Structures are given as structure tokens and as C-alpha cells.
Amino acid sequence: QQQVKQSPQSLIVQKGGISIINCAYENTAFDYFPWYQQFPGKGPALLIAIRPDVSEKKEGRFTISFNKSAKQFSLHIMDSQPGDSATYFCAASNNYGQNFVFGPGTRLSVLP
Amino acid sequence: EPEVTQTPSHQVTQMGQEVILRCVPISNHLYFYWYRQILGQKVEFLVSFYNNEISEKSEIFDDQFSVERPDGSNFTLKIRSTKLEDSAMYFCASSTTRFQETQYFGPGTRLLVL
């Protein structure tokens, strides 16, 4: 119930392409879904986050799509750039808990 | 831009030894956290800390672990008797208020237990 599943494990995209990473959860109490970006040797950094009262949130080239009934959410990176190459983690938390449950991560490589 | 800092960046220790990992959270933040990431695996929550006490902890955070805010700036994680499986990257994070607010992560301490 506390798990967050994430796919794919790794993703290779050409520069300018669209990167799509999917996550799914079971716990219906989750109500906050952030995405973190992690470069090698660095800590995770919040990229974008969504709450289940909206179905989509866009910030620049990054968009979260949220499907509450399917308990799924995804990250879309438009016009992917080599500088986007990193590991991306989806996560989830609920209002009453005090910890994030992270997905296993997706290693994105954007080829020049 | 303010940032979370962690020391040391790398720590090598012998099994059974005690280690203390140090963090300096962002100065106006009130909530503090420790996470760990075993090499190549996902980030795992260890503990959250607010108002000088533990708010929540995971099953990973057993009696071998303790946290402390010894002064107004530092936040420490102590592992009393390290095990091989404690080898991981340990991240400190902080946030201004409630847990769901943006958490800022430090660069991590890579701990290797031999």
C-alpha cells in the first residue's frame, strides 16, 4: 500500500524529443505528488509537484499529468535537452504522514 | 541562494564503529529530515524532526540510529554501531513548515562501512 511504482527504469531520448515517466500508487490517502531530479553526486531537487485536485500542472518544459481514478501520474519533459540527463524520482505523501514514499527512479539520458 | 550543507562528504568506517553525520539546514527552516539511498536504489525516508523531537520515523530507523539538534544550526544523525548494510548515501533535508512544503536536500554524505 505504501509503494510507489515507477517506469521505465531507464530511458534514452534524442535531443528535442519528449521524455515520459510514469508512476502508480495504491494508497488513496496520498495527496501530494512531487517529482525530484537528481544529478550524480547531488541530492534530489524538487522539480514540480501536483495535488489531486488538478489533472495537469505545467512548469516550463515539465508537465505532470495526474489521473486520480487510475491512481497514476506521469512526468512529461518536452523538448528534452542533454542537460536533462539525470535520475528522476516520483514520490507521494499524505497530509497526515510525515514521510515521502519514493519511486525507484528513472535514469534519463538525452542524446545530443 | 540558501542551501543545506552536509559534512563530511565521504566517510569510511569499520563495522561496529560509531559515526556522526552532520547537517546544517537552511536557517529559517523548522522541519528536518534524514533520508538514505543505497547505491543504485531509491531514496528512503529515515526520520523527521521538529521542535527538538522526532516527529516520525521509518522502520529503518531502529535503536542504532539517533538524531540531535545540538545547537541552533546543526542537525546530526548518529549510527551507534555501524553495519555493512549501513553503507549508503545519507541525505539531510529541511523545510519551512509542514512536511509537504518543499524540502531542500543537501548534497549527501557517502558512508562506506568496511
Side-chain angles (χ1 to χ4, degrees), chain A residues 3-4 31-32 36 38 41-46 51 87 89 93-105 107, chain B residues 31 33 35 37 40-45 48-50 55-56 89 91 98-108 110:
Chain A
Q3 263 193 329
V4 175
D31 62 355
Y32 181 68
Y36 282 84
Q38 184 181 30
K42 302 291 186 183
L46 179 67
R51 294 188 184 275
T87 299
F89 294 95
S93 74
N94 66 62
N95 193 40
Y96 302 102
Q98 289 205 15
N99 73 83
F100 283 126
V101 179
F102 281 82
R107 184 175 300 212
Chain B
Y31 287 75
Y33 317 89
Y35 293 83
Q37 184 179 30
Q41 298 187 24
K42 67 179 179 180
V43 177
E44 299 174 293
F45 169 79
S48 61
F49 190 86
Y50 170 71
S55 304
E56 187 167 341
M89 182 76 94
F91 293 106
R98 289 173 52 229
F99 188 90
Q100 289 190 350
E101 299 298 321
T102 300
Q103 289 188 26
Y104 292 86
F105 282 74
R110 185 173 295 281

Side-chain angles (χ1 to χ4, degrees), chain B residues 49-111:
Chain B
F49 190 86
Y50 170 71
N51 199 26
N52 284 318
E53 60 183 27
I54 291 173
S55 304
E56 187 167 341
K57 60 184 180 180
S58 72
E59 59 275 10
I60 302 169
F61 194 87
D62 60 22
D63 292 342
Q64 293 286 82
F65 293 89
S66 63
V67 289
E68 192 178 32
R69 189 156 163 80
D71 53 44
S73 59
N74 289 284
F75 178 52
T76 63
L77 174 69
K78 181 192 290 187
I79 309 175
R80 282 184 241 288
S81 178
T82 50
K83 303 187 284 285
L84 295 177
E85 54 265 36
D86 293 328
S87 294
M89 182 76 94
Y90 288 81
F91 293 106
C92 172
S94 68
S95 62
T96 51
T97 55
R98 289 173 52 229
F99 188 90
Q100 289 190 350
E101 299 298 321
T102 300
Q103 289 188 26
Y104 292 86
F105 282 74
T109 293
R110 185 173 295 281
L111 175 66

